[in-house]
Amino acid sequence: MGRSVCSCWQSVFSTAVLYGSLALFTSILHNVFLLYYVETFVSIYKIDKISFWVGETVFLIWNSLNDPLFGWLSDRSFLSSPQAGSQITSPEVVLKRLRALATNGPLFALSFLAFWVAWARPGLQFLLCLCLYDGFLTMVDLHHSALMADLAVSATDRTRLNFHCSVFSALGSISVFLSYSFWDKEDFYSFRLFCVTLATFSVLGFFVVSRMLQRRFQKEVRPKYDEALTLKELSVGHAPLTHPEKPVTIQQYLKQLSKHRNFMWFVSMNLIQVFHCHFNNNFFPLFLEHLLSDNISASTGSILLGISYIAPHLNNLYFLTLCQRYGVYQVIRWLFMLKLGLSVVMLLAGADHIYLLCIFIASNRVFTEGTCKLLKLVISDLVDEDFVINRRQQAASALLFGMVALLTKPGQTFAPLIGTWLLCVYTGYDIFEREPVKDSLASVPHVPLGSGTPPLRLGCFYMLVFVPITCALLQLATWSRFTLHGRKLQGVKTLRQGAQHGHLIDVKAI
C-alpha cells in the first residue's frame, strides 16, 4: 500500500519539482533563524556581550572552514584512483548525495529546534547551537547544490532545476510573515510550537522527497547504466577519459584549482558579489532610517523590507527564462550593467527624489540578490570544466562548491567592517560610539564636498550609490576575463556528457 502511494506521488511530480521542493524545507527554517536567533539570545536568554562576540567569532571561523572540509570528506573518494571493477560512477554519486540529504536534512531541522529552548548557559548554548546548526545547513546546501551538477549537464535542464528552487524558496518566505503572529518575547510558548511545526514539516519533507528521488533514480536511470556498463565491459562503449595511477591528494587538488583560470576569475567576481549582498543587508535599516524615515511611514518601510526579501526569488524566475535564451554569462553581465546604470542615475538625481530613492534602495537589493541566485549555475559549469580539464573519473561537485564558499565568505566580514569604516571616515559618525545625529538634506541643501565633513544623511546617500558603482565596475572587469561561455561552454558540456552518457536523470520528465 505504501509503495503504491509513493509511486502515485512520483508519477504526479517531476524530478525538477522534487529537487526544487528541497529548497522549501531549508528556507522555511533558515528565514526564521536569521530573523529571530539574535533577538532570542539577547532579549530572552540575556546573553552577555563577551559571550555573544566570542560565539560569533568562533561561528565565523567554523562557517568559513566547514564548506571545503565537508566538501572534501564528501568527494575525496571520487578523486581517488578506482580499482578494476569498482569504478565510482554517476549513479553511485547521485544516490550518495540523496542518502546524505535524507539523513542531514532531518538533523538540520532538529538542530533548528535547539535555539528555542534554554538547555544550557546562554553563552555555551549560543556557541554550540550556531556551530551545530551551520554544520548541518552546510551539509544540506553542499549536497543540494552539488546534486544540480550531478543530475543534469545541459544548461536547459539546470535552469529548470534552479527555476523550481526559486519557486519553492519564495514559498518558504511565507514562514517569515506567519512568524509575526506567533513572536512574543513575553510569552515564548506559542512561538516554540510554531517552530516545532515548521521543523516537523521539514523533517518529513526531507525524508520523503529524498526517498522519492532515490526510487525514481533507481527506476529510470539504473537500467540504462547497467546496459552501458555491460557494453563497456564488452569494449563496445567508449572508454573512460583516463585512469589516474594515484589518488588525488588535497595538495594536488588545490594546485589544480589554482591553475583553473575561470575558477579564479569567478571567485574574484563572487567575492565582490558576496560583499555587496551583505553590505545591503547590514546597512538596509540605516539607509531607511537616515534617508527615508522623515518622508515615508513605518508601514511603507516595512513593505520595502518585505519586498526586498521575497522579490529576489520571484524575480529570479524571469532571470532564468533569460538565461535559457541568452546564457547565464550574458544575463549576469547585464545585471552588473544595470546595477551600474541605476546607481549613476541615482547619483545624478540626488537624494531629494524620495520615490526614486525608495525604488533604488529596494531594486538595488533585489537585483543584487537575484545575481547571487544565478551563480549556482555558473559553479555547476565550473564543475563540468574541472571534470574535463583535469580528466577526472567523477566530477567533485560538493568539493568545488565548498572551495567557492571558502574563498568568498570573507566578503560577509568585509561588508560591515568596510561599511562602518567608510561611514566613520566620511561623516565622522562612529556607529558603535554614539547615537546618530538627525539631519536632512533640507537643512543643508548645498554642502560642497570640500567644505568639511558631510552630514550623516548625505554620507549615507553617497555610500548607497558609490558602493554599487565601485562593485559593478570591478565585477565587469573581472567578469570580462571569464571565458566559460558560448562555444567553449558547449564544448565542455559535450565532453562531459560523452564521458557520462546515460548516467544522468532526465529532468524533462514532467
Side-chain angles (χ1 to χ4, degrees), residues 337-351:
M337 295 174 67
L338 180 62
K339 177 164 63 176
L340 177 62
L342 290 174
S343 301
V344 171
V345 169
M346 190 70 249
L347 177 64
L348 296 176

Side-chain angles (χ1 to χ4, degrees), residues 10-31:
Q10 282 184 301
S11 64
V12 172
F13 297 113
S14 69
T15 300
V17 171
L18 292 174
Y19 173 83
S21 67
L22 293 171
L24 169 65
F25 309 131
T26 303
S27 62
I28 60 170
L29 302 184
H30 194 53
N31 289 333

Side-chain angles (χ1 to χ4, degrees), residues 79-83 242-248 252 391 393:
L79 300 176
S80 302
S81 173
Q83 302 298 322
T242 184
H243 289 281
E245 297 179 357
K246 297 180 180 179
V248 178
Q252 291 172 324
R391 304 174 67 83
Q393 293 292 326

Side-chain angles (χ1 to χ4, degrees), residues 275-276 278-288 290-291 339 342-344 346-347 351 357 360-361 364 368 414-431 441 449 454-472:
F275 164 82
H276 192 199
H278 283 81
F279 175 86
N280 287 339
N281 291 334
N282 296 150
F283 293 96
F284 197 98
L286 188 73
F287 294 147
L288 287 181
H290 295 294
L291 293 174
K339 177 164 63 176
L342 290 174
S343 301
V344 171
M346 190 70 249
L347 177 64
L357 198 58
F360 177 75
I361 290 176
N364 182 38
T368 303
F414 294 154
L417 294 179
I418 293 177
T420 52
W421 175 77
L422 286 174
L423 191 65
C424 184
V425 169
Y426 194 62
T427 68
Y429 168 60
D430 188 343
I431 197 171
L441 283 179
L449 290 178
L456 181 56
R457 186 169 190 266
L458 190 61
C460 287
F461 174 73
Y462 285 147
M463 277 181 62
L464 177 67
V465 294
F466 280 126
V467 167
I469 287 175
T470 304
C471 290

